[in-house]
Amino acid sequence: MSEPDHYFTAQPASPDERRLLRVHLAGSQVEVETAGGIFSPDHVDLGTRVLLDHVPAPPAEGDLLDLGCGWGPVALTLALESPAATVWAVDVNERALDLTRRNAERLGVTNVRAVRPDEVPPDTQLTAIWSNPPIRVGKEALHAMLTQWLGRRAPGAEAHLVVSKNLGADSLQRWMAAELGVDVERTASVKGFRVLAVRDR
């Protein structure tokens, strides 16, 4: 028996059975393609929905990041709301990246770049980060990931993260403020999820 797929598995072992899903993104009902072996394949998960409902409008242009894109709900929302921006949809899961690319094409958005983390050009300065980060990768990997990507924000750029209270949102908020030298404000707390805004001090 193989172990069950984690959503942070690069090559999911489960069957790649595609299906269509109707979801609400960027103020509209849209149809997207999804599959097993990725994060939340059957719906927009509650944390992501809380994030999308409680973030300010994204910058109209620049480089925007969705860290841990899954099938793309955050990246597609950014792309639909900021068509002049470049949206980097980053994931280690190849199936998730393929789905995000196909969903961008399905929705007619041409500004999504669904890539592995090492494929974002190193000199890219991010004008916004929206993320439901992969908490279950473990604290060490998560801290390294947040240190890397939050450090790539352009001056004055904000990051908005959603984290479950039960999975350590409050301790993560304290860690980012102490270790990364940033301001971290809890901007929403809904159904057990915290939305954390990260800004320069």
Side-chain angles (χ1 to χ4, degrees):
M1 291 286 289
S2 63
E3 290 187 25
D5 290 336
H6 291 287
Y7 55 78
F8 44 84
T9 300
Q11 298 286 349
S14 58
D16 190 359
E17 295 172 353
R18 303 295 172 102
R19 53 190 179 274
L20 296 179
L21 188 68
R22 289 195 67 76
V23 295
H24 190 78
L25 296 178
S28 300
Q29 285 289 330
V30 297
E31 192 171 69
V32 296
E33 188 175 315
T34 182
I38 63 168
F39 178 65
S40 191
D42 299 317
H43 60 289
V44 178
D45 72 286
L46 182 56
T48 297
R49 177 54 61 202
V50 169
L51 177 71
L52 294 175
D53 287 348
H54 292 88
V55 285
E61 51 193 28
D63 289 280
L64 315 181
L65 173 70
D66 170 14
L67 181 60
C69 64
W71 54 260
V74 172
L76 296 169
T77 299
L78 286 167
L80 289 164
E81 294 187 353
S82 298
T86 298
V87 178
W88 296 96
V90 168
D91 210 299
V92 298
N93 185 315
E94 296 289 351
R95 187 176 298 171
L97 294 174
D98 182 61
L99 286 164
T100 297
R101 292 182 197 112
R102 292 171 67 97
N103 287 330
E105 187 176 344
R106 178 178 287 275
L107 271 54
V109 292
T110 58
N111 56 330
V112 173
R113 310 283 179 267
V115 296
R116 297 189 309 272
D118 60 351
E119 293 178 306
V120 179
D123 57 349
T124 303
Q125 284 204 310
L126 302 167
T127 51
I129 299 171
W130 288 9
S131 179
N132 183 350
I135 298 296
R136 295 182 190 278
V137 297
K139 189 177 290 187
E140 189 175 328
L142 178 70
H143 287 179
M145 187 184 307
L146 293 176
T147 299
Q148 174 189 352
W149 293 102
L150 292 174
R152 294 179 67 170
R153 289 174 303 126
E158 295 185 357
H160 296 270
L161 314 176
V162 65
V163 183
S164 167
K165 180 177 184 291
N166 292 337
L167 293 178
D170 296 343
S171 61
L172 185 65
Q173 179 177 355
R174 291 190 295 270
W175 177 84
M176 288 190 292
E179 297 298 323
L180 303 183
V182 291
D183 271 337
V184 188
E185 178 191 359
R186 186 195 305 165
T187 55
S189 185
V190 181
K191 296 180 179 173
F193 287 91
R194 313 281 208 222
V195 178
L196 304 176
V198 179
R199 305 182 180 98
D200 294 336
R201 282 188 179 152

